[in-house]
Structure formats: structure tokens, C-alpha cells
Amino acid sequence: MKTLTCMIVDDEPLAVKMLENYVARTEGLQLAASFSDPVLALNALDDTPVDVIFLDIQMPDLDGLSLSRQVPASTKIVFTTAFKQYAFDSYEVSAVDFLLKPIRYQKFLAAVEKVRQWFDHEPVPQEPQKSAEPTSMFIRVDSQLQRIDFDKIVYVSGLKDYVQIYIDGQPRPLTTHLTMKAIEDMLPTSRFMRVHRSYLVALDKIRSVDRNSCIYIGNEIIHVTDAYRDSFDKYLQTHIPG
């Protein structure tokens, strides 16, 4: 029996805990991640694709119906909600099942079985294909979701629970409510590196590095601190000819 990987996305902590408990009790079902923030969940799917998402519909910033339209077609959706009126909308976006809260375990098991039947009837690819590295992410800016292409990011600076994202060609940075750790996890490590407690840089946007380990990038000079010096030096060594 194929083990199905799943993700839980719900802004209610009690609902998340209940679904996590159901997943743990269900043979052949493995939890990849749980999120209370749908935007973070959407970005995480680029790096951690799953077979099925147990997805709440009514959430702030990005509702479940909108999120479901942006996930890969190979990811199945099981909606979870306390509002019966959303049932019709859920089938419009080809959800496998619709679970009405409070969710009973037997109903949960039936939904998992429906997902399994979908995969049992899909053709098995002859050769596994490596997922393409994501090229963009969504962040909240002024109460709106905005897509940012990684190619356009120059560097990121941290301000307590906020970060400022400096975009090539834009005079002002984009400010969003995220920690440096959260934004670091959202950016591909092959293209971005943390060089300071409060700075993260796009490696291909670095113009020069002086003898004092100061990075010249955009309109900023960023000093590489001791905590990040070893990893940055290793990067430089692999990019110095000879």
C-alpha cells in the first residue's frame, strides 16, 4: 500500500491538533507539515509537495478555495470547514471530499480512502522527474498577496518581526510581517544566503566583496558577521577561478 503524504492547513489550532491526531492513527498516511498560515503553506508546497491537503476554507488573507486553485494538479484536496454552504464551491474546484466540522474519525478515514482510490487509478510514471526549483513566492504586503520573482530580489533586511525585501529597480522595499528565519526558509538556498543576523543576500546580485568581508550589493554595504563567515567563504572559494 502506497503511503500518502499530507499537509494540514487550518487557522484554528484545535482543528490542526485533531487532524494531526487522525493522521497519526491512520495507516498509510504520513504528515509532511501543518500550517496555520495559508500563505506559508502555499510557498512550502514548492519544496515539499504532498499527495493530499486537508484544507480549511474560511481563513484570513488567502481562503482555502483560492489556495486550492494554485496547488499542483497532482495534489488532491480534502476541504474541512464548519460551514455547509461551501460544499458546492468545493466541488467546483474538483475537491476529492468535503468534511464538515466537527469531523468524525470515520468520515476522515472515508475521505482518505477516496484519495487513495484517485491515486490507484492514476498511471504510474515510468521515470521519476525532479521537481523544478520554485522561481517565486507569495508574501502579504498591505493586506494583499503579492507574487515576488526570486530573480528580482537583491537582499532582505530584518526589523524585529518584519522584513524588508529590496527589489531590483524599485526605490522602496516591500515590508511584510515575517521573521528572518521564515523568509530564509522560503528562499532557495542555491540562490540566497544569510550573511548577518539581519541580512540575507541574493548571491548573483553581489557586485564585490572587500578584504573586510563587506558585501557591496544594491545601494547597501553589508558586513558578513562571524556566525555566517565560514559558509560565505566556502561559497566564494567555489566561485574563484583557479
Side-chain angles (χ1 to χ4, degrees), residues 104-120:
R104 291 183 296 163
Y105 183 53
Q106 290 302 318
K107 292 286 188 181
F108 177 85
L109 281 179
V112 173
E113 182 57 29
K114 287 182 182 180
V115 174
R116 190 172 298 285
Q117 290 175 5
W118 271 88
F119 284 100
D120 287 345

Side-chain angles (χ1 to χ4, degrees), residues 181-195:
K181 179 63 170 64
I183 196 75
E184 184 178 12
D185 290 343
M186 292 163 66
L187 295 170
T189 56
S190 61
R191 303 175 63 179
F192 296 87
M193 183 176 291
R194 188 89 169 263
V195 296

